[in-house]
Amino acid sequence: MTLVIRERRHQQALRLSLPPPSTATTPSSDDLCQQTHMPALFPSPSSHANSSPGIRNLSDLKKVAVLGHGNGGTVYKVLNKKNNSFYALKVLRFNQDGIGIRQSATVLEAEILRRVDSPYIVRCHAVFDNGSSCNEAADNGGDDLSFVMEYMEVGSLHDVLREHHRLPEEVICVLAKRVLEGLNYLHGMHIVHRDIKPSNLLVNDKGEVKIADFGVSHVVEGRFDGCELSAGTCAYMSPERVDPERWGGGEEDRDEFAGDVWSMGVVMLECFLGHFPLIGPGQRPDWATLMCAICFGEKLEMPEKASPEFQNFVRRCLEKDWRKRATVKELLHHPFVNRKCCCTSKGLGDYVFHE
């Protein structure tokens, strides 16, 4: 059978020139069956540092509160003492045993953060090593790597769902469009996120949703790279990542970008239902259960109350065969994300702040 090879696979590879090591990293959030992936060691302050309000040293920042923990790291809310603005400081702590193994992954993550510049991606203002120097943040000593990130006041989509349980379609279509715009930007730079999930979609006080956390992301260089297939959160992985022998096809032909589309489809359906959609509410989200649901589950039944446009949108995302799955560009033209309500970015903000 002739495989359908998508045009983007023939684009020139993005080859990153990595600067010498000197700063930063990111912790991930806890989620269903989170895989362990801890980066380490790397490059100089972000290219966005010049557009930031002069954060030259971690001593410029005052720790205000702990926002969260995950995978050996901590996220702090910090105050820039020079201009009284708030930021999020992600500090990853690691021991010497992991440096050699994780160095290349961390260098790549830092380089991605230095290069991305989009209203749909959480901005990184600066990257530093030895994050323990930040205003009493060092309780244990050791090696710390830190990202100074844009502060997203509302928190994550996971937090929004925990409070509101489910979202109406007019909000989900705005959310979907922003995530698609972010993925379109990343895929245009040959960057595969590989961990789209509610806790990696952050919301600011304007109700804008942005993609965060590139700890397991990958730069496509012209051919499929099979390493670290299990990196990320297994609940949101696509069938070809969970079971490449059954669903992947030939390694030369596999489309890594398609996995981000699957993950986004799972998230959108979760927003509508108010719970993780691929297993029953009472089922345990262990690896075996998830693998069966993702790779061998029956055709997904759409909720009856969902509109035909939403049902079709989700089906196009959750096609098990990646060759038949919609691309990001195709989904950006889908009727569901081109409803009248999607012409404004206020949908989620209005719902979160006024409901």
Side-chain angles (χ1 to χ4, degrees), residues 261-326:
V261 172
W262 171 279
S263 303
M264 187 208 60
V266 175
V267 171
M268 297 307 126
L269 187 53
E270 182 173 351
C271 289
F272 185 89
L273 295 173
H275 60 80
F276 182 74
L278 301 185
I279 60 175
Q283 286 184 278
R284 290 186 58 189
D286 53 49
W287 171 250
T289 301
L290 289 169
M291 183 182 71
C292 290
I294 293 167
C295 297
F296 305 105
E298 297 296 324
K299 188 174 180 180
L300 194 63
E301 291 207 15
M302 291 291 124
E304 292 182 5
K305 292 183 179 180
S307 68
E309 293 86 0
F310 179 69
Q311 292 188 32
N312 182 263
F313 178 84
V314 172
R315 284 197 182 99
R316 298 290 288 121
C317 295
L318 299 185
E319 171 58 59
K320 291 185 187 294
D321 186 342
W322 61 264
R323 301 168 190 85
K324 299 176 183 177
R325 199 174 302 150

Side-chain angles (χ1 to χ4, degrees), residues 37 39 119 137 141-142 197 221 242 258 263 281 300 323:
H37 180 92
K197 59 184 179 181
E221 297 193 25
V242 175
S263 303
L300 194 63
R323 301 168 190 85

Side-chain angles (χ1 to χ4, degrees), residues 30-31 54 62 95 118 134 172 178 201 240 275 310 322 331:
D30 295 319
D31 247 311
K62 178 181 178 181
N95 55 43
S118 165
C134 177
I172 297 173
R178 287 196 63 90
L201 300 175
E240 67 273 15
H275 60 80
F310 179 69
W322 61 264
L331 291 171

